[in-house]
Amino acid sequence: MPDRGGGPAGPRMRVGRPSRRVRTLLMTLGVLAVLAMLFVMFAGFWTDWLWYRSVKYSSVFSTTLVTKIGLFAVFGLLMAGAVGLNIWLAHRLRPPLSAMSMEQQNLDRYRMGIAPYKKWVLLAITALVGLISGASASGQWRTWLMWVNGVAFGQKDPQFKMDVSFYAFDLPWYRFMLAFGFAATVLSLIAAALTHYLYGGLRITSPGARATAAATGHLSVLLGVFVSLKAVAYWLDRYGLAVKSSDFKAAGNWTGLRYVDANAYLPAKTILFCIAVICALLFFATLWRRTWQLPVIGFGLMVLSAILIGGLYPAIVQKFQVQPNEQAKEAPYIKKNIDATREAYGIDDADVQNYGGKGDPDKKAEQRKAADTAASYRLVDPNVVSPAFQQLQQERKYYQFPATLDVDRYTGPDGKPQDTVVGLRELNITGIPKRNWINDHFTYTHGYGVIAAKGTNTVTDENNGTVGAPDFTESGLPTTGQLPTYEQRVYYGEKTEQYSIVGGPQKELDYEKNGERTTSYKGKSGVDLSNPLNRAAYAVAFSEPQMVYSGAIGDGSRILYNRTPKERVEAVAPWLTIDGDAYPAVVGGRIQWIVDAYTTTNGYPYASRTTLGDTTADSLTDSQRAVVAQQNQVNYIRNSVKATVDAYDGTVKLYEWDTADPVLKTWMKAFPDTVQPKSAIKPDLLAHLRYPQDMFKVQRELLTRYHVEDPAQFYSGSDAWQVPDDPTNKDSNSVPPYYLSLKMPGQDEQKFSLTTTFTPNGRPNLGAFMAVDADATSSDFGKIRVLRVTSTVQGPQQVQSELNGVPEVAEFVRNLRGTDSDIEYGNLLTVPLDGGFLYIEPVYARGGSANYPLLKKVAVSYGGKPVFKDSLPEALNAVFGAEGSTPPTTPPPPGETTKPPATGDKLQQAIADAQKAYEDGEAALAKQDWTAYGKAQKDLQDALQRAADAETGSGSTSGNGGDSGTGGDNSG
């Protein structure tokens, strides 16, 4: 190099090239960095593939992946081709060099700078827009699969007579294609205009023509394509009116056409479509005319028409035609909305009956008798007793139960189904005595056993004798009880969110009858880690380098992850919306998680939309019980799939439940052989299937308005309801629905049901009672029955307030606080009974020596009369005025008498008979055998009467003081 800086200090130091060794090192580091990034990307793909293959749903992974790659490639290439072609064409149509203006001289340096790299610039621009467009298109894989596999609904919308599948499956894809076309056209127009400007085809400040003929023709064609797409948009907007959401004061969130839509917007869209077609032809005509005068005039006319016809005219129609007589004008459209909404949410067959709500005050005896069989009163509240399960059945600190337990049905000793509160003893790694990687992921790997308790009014735990504790029918570690023998290890559960590595050299903690032991996982679940490639991939995916070199991993080691039931079902069926409450059941010797899943769409014409997260929220909703995809807005929902997840080996099975659902049929075409037919559901599993809570909550929310079918009444809102707040919860959240076996009016026997109450909008009194047959084995499964209350009856909040005001409650609370305990209310159950409503609420005490809730009292109200007693029979007797039918707490002891021998023998026999009758009654009460209980009470009264007669006949006084009242029954 020549000397560029000599001087007194000598020549300037030259900066030499890096040495060969440094260049080699830098190149090596660069290659390693690229390889590392590629391996990270590969690890994510590879671990996903391995997981799907392990659960035998690899077809879901491959179908989804191929669809995404296909959409990415096709639409990425289309976008890149469209933009690249227009840039190339604009460059090809550039004008020849001529005397340059000052503007062109300023652009010349940019042209010169780009000239050597034109191909690379073109490739970079097209690659960038192609990648962005492809990534966006790949996110539309659900839309594509629904469009290409769509199954007809067999129902047509009332306006355009198009099958509902057009709106649910076709229209979303057409809108995506239209949006893609607009994006491609606009980007091409911008790229072409910039290229024309750079190479002189367009001039801004230069004198003379502003655009060459070639540039004019090129840009006019692109503008013509844009306007043509706008014409297509106007045409699709016509159909879009059937699924358009708007605010309507009579219905709130409204979907579908209203009067102004059908009579103003619809013709306006048709007129604008015609204008747009004409305007597009004018733009295309510039290929021959080489002037923008007519196209610009046409475009201006289209914009003006959009303002006047598409905006001003509908506003005038609304103001001067609709508002003066809105109810009459909107009535036909309200009727369409009502019919579509009821059909879309499956509430069109709801049986709504008028119900007085007030029982006959002169039929107390009949009502007391009917109360015994009206329902299986579940006094063990699954929302309250979890701490009792935790305290009495946790066994180890590293186990836990969910905050809200589940209600299921199991066969009792008498061979009849009984409501049962169940909870799984799941792993809680925060309770592990010594936390480290081995303990967290190798030693403590699974929970253990199902804990079950009677849900009805037996509240004495025979195992520990604590009055008010749950009466467990399955308990211990390992568990024993009434359930058949089953695999007790719980490797997959709602609380099991960490990964575990099982089956290898490191043994797991386990249990047997004699205490702790070790075990090794024998299931086939999980992904094999004996392969070094798999270990490396999971080490990267889980950011856990110890997986690569740990000696705890060897032959037979398998990694278990995605372990919650909802995670697994959502992963193998990403097109389903998952219910917030998975529940366990012992089926076929295994614990099976049962997961309800829904197919949804927001494209059902005229059906009002709802947000799942808002509609399904109640006082019990938490992160564990929230519906998956809760922010989805839908206007069609079906409980189309019942899924099971094996708690031991994680096997996921999907069963078709709603065989008529076209959305499910569409997804079954897209993912063949993933959903088993309904006939594959075995009877022992069917016995535990139930009506899902989230579906019920969506339907009850819609029924607050859509129980009304008359448009005029719907418009006035005079009979609107609301879901009341939970009266037992201080937060202002909706009351949760309750599973309860009960008899609705007209039914001969109890049905396992899901129930809720309504209050009139803005009022606290009871407006209606709703129950759905929740027993999947019932021929009436899913039948919704609604009792519309026709008289003024106390609502849940009012009943709770009255119960709180009973003097015995205040005394009970004072006594509790004296023992450092507090009151806790259970679920307020509502049961229809003889034309009225019977309210029953368990009341718990918590604190003192037992730091878990114990059932101490039962509150009952009927006909506005609240009572607060020690047991349910006592409370029912009191509320129906039958206090004299229960024996004293302590029967008189035999032998305490001063009677003459003749009468003494009779008295002794009567007392003995009374003692036996009392014991028989207690035994019948424990079994809830009301027939035997009634017979025992009758025998007791007879024995006491004979004792009284014997005492009177002798003329002597006795120390027994027998009382035929019921005040001392504390059996619970």
Side-chain angles (χ1 to χ4, degrees), residues 24 84 171 217 282 385 390 490 536 568 653 668 672 687 860 922 927:
T24 303
L171 191 58
L282 292 176
V385 300
Q390 193 81 5
V490 181
R568 296 180 77 78
K653 292 183 180 179
M668 290 174 67
V860 173
E922 288 296 283
K927 295 179 180 179

Side-chain angles (χ1 to χ4, degrees), residues 27 77 216 240 257 294 358 422 484 491 494 522 529 551 559 586 693 759 787 789 843 940 947 965:
M27 187 176 296
L77 289 174
T216 300
L257 286 84
L294 285 178
K358 291 185 176 180
V422 298
Y491 283 90
E494 287 184 301
K522 298 295 189 280
L529 288 184
I559 183 169
V586 176
Q693 290 192 58
T759 58
L787 304 179
V789 180
V843 180
L940 176 63

Side-chain angles (χ1 to χ4, degrees), residues 33 55 59 73 83 95 123 167 231 383 406 413 526 679 792 819 833 866 884 908 910 918:
V55 294
S59 63
V83 175
L123 286 174
Y167 301 94
N383 315 316
D406 290 291
S679 58
T792 303
T819 60
L833 178 66
Q908 290 285 353
Y918 173 76

Side-chain angles (χ1 to χ4, degrees), residues 310-322:
L312 185 60
Y313 174 62
I316 293 174
V317 171
Q318 178 68 23
K319 179 71 174 178
F320 295 102
Q321 290 191 31
V322 178

Side-chain angles (χ1 to χ4, degrees), residues 555-772:
D555 291 340
S557 292
R558 309 179 72 83
I559 183 169
L560 312 181
Y561 63 105
N562 286 352
R563 298 171 71 181
T564 69
K566 290 193 286 186
E567 270 184 321
R568 296 180 77 78
V569 174
E570 187 182 30
V572 303
W575 35 273
L576 290 173
T577 299
I578 311 302
D579 188 90
D581 183 26
Y583 60 98
V586 176
V587 178
R590 303 292 279 265
I591 302 172
Q592 297 285 349
W593 286 100
I594 299 175
V595 183
D596 286 287
Y598 310 108
T599 47
T600 62
T601 180
N602 67 351
Y604 198 100
Y606 274 102
S608 290
R609 290 183 172 89
T610 186
T611 303
L612 292 181
D614 297 337
T615 308
T616 59
D618 59 33
S619 63
L620 302 180
T621 304
D622 55 23
S623 59
Q624 194 66 51
R625 296 176 69 89
V627 63
V628 175
Q630 59 182 318
Q631 295 309 314
N632 283 2
Q633 267 214 333
V634 305
N635 67 351
Y636 171 94
I637 185 169
R638 290 291 185 271
N639 176 213
S640 53
V641 172
K642 300 285 188 180
T644 62
V645 178
D646 193 296
Y648 180 71
D649 63 19
T651 300
V652 181
K653 292 183 180 179
L654 307 176
Y655 298 99
E656 180 184 16
W657 186 248
D658 189 335
T659 57
D661 178 27
V663 181
L664 177 61
K665 292 179 180 179
T666 296
W667 286 118
M668 290 174 67
K669 281 182 63 179
F671 296 96
D673 302 323
T674 57
V675 181
Q676 300 183 38
K678 189 174 185 177
S679 58
I681 301 177
K682 296 181 179 179
D684 55 348
L685 172 59
L686 186 66
H688 292 280
L689 300 184
R690 68 190 192 189
Y691 201 83
Q693 290 192 58
D694 286 338
M695 180 79 173
F696 184 79
K697 286 188 278 189
V698 169
Q699 290 176 321
R700 76 172 179 179
E701 181 64 32
L702 269 296
L703 277 170
T704 58
R705 291 177 291 140
Y706 286 93
H707 66 280
V708 176
E709 297 185 59
D710 177 69
Q713 190 179 14
F714 185 91
Y715 178 87
S716 69
S718 59
D719 194 25
W721 301 333
Q722 64 185 15
V723 179
D725 291 340
D726 187 349
T728 66
N729 194 300
K730 294 180 181 178
D731 299 328
S732 298
N733 294 314
S734 299
V735 62
Y738 297 124
Y739 286 106
L740 184 69
S741 293
L742 56 76
K743 287 194 299 186
M744 289 289 283
Q747 290 184 324
D748 296 328
E749 57 183 9
Q750 295 178 12
K751 296 286 188 179
F752 186 67
S753 304
L754 191 55
T755 67
T756 192
T757 54
F758 299 101
T759 58
N761 198 14
R763 299 289 301 157
N765 54 291
L766 191 63
F769 176 82
M770 173 182 173
V772 63

Side-chain angles (χ1 to χ4, degrees), residues 18 48 116 370 384 756 883:
D48 284 347
V384 174
T756 192
E883 289 90 347

Side-chain angles (χ1 to χ4, degrees), residues 802-963:
E802 280 211 350
L803 288 173
N804 292 342
V806 173
E808 290 88 344
V809 175
E811 181 182 356
F812 179 68
V813 172
R814 282 196 303 269
N815 294 337
L816 282 180
R817 290 179 177 165
T819 60
D820 198 24
S821 301
D822 207 350
I823 191 171
E824 189 166 348
Y825 291 106
N827 38 217
L828 180 60
L829 303 176
T830 307
V831 177
L833 178 66
D834 191 36
F837 287 99
L838 178 66
Y839 290 94
I840 294 180
E841 183 176 50
V843 180
Y844 295 81
R846 182 168 183 171
S849 58
N851 192 24
Y852 57 90
L854 293 173
L855 180 57
K856 291 299 185 182
K857 296 284 186 175
V858 179
V860 173
S861 177
Y862 187 84
K865 178 184 178 182
V867 299
F868 189 73
K869 299 296 181 181
D870 293 329
S871 68
L872 178 60
E874 186 180 356
L876 291 175
N877 288 339
V879 82
F880 292 111
E883 289 90 347
S885 62
T886 305
T889 304
T890 305
E896 295 184 9
T897 178
T898 57
K899 305 296 178 287
T903 59
D905 292 341
K906 294 180 181 180
L907 183 60
Q908 290 285 353
Q909 183 61 48
I911 291 173
D913 292 343
Q915 178 70 27
K916 183 178 184 306
Y918 173 76
E919 292 172 353
D920 291 344
E922 288 296 283
L925 185 63
K927 295 179 180 179
Q928 297 182 63
D929 188 343
W930 303 116
T931 302
Y933 181 80
K935 183 178 182 302
Q937 297 302 303
K938 184 178 180 181
D939 293 342
L940 176 63
Q941 288 181 339
D942 178 71
L944 292 175
Q945 183 61 50
R946 284 190 285 114
D949 292 342
E951 182 181 54
T952 303
S954 68
S956 303
T957 57
S958 170
N960 61 20
D963 182 358

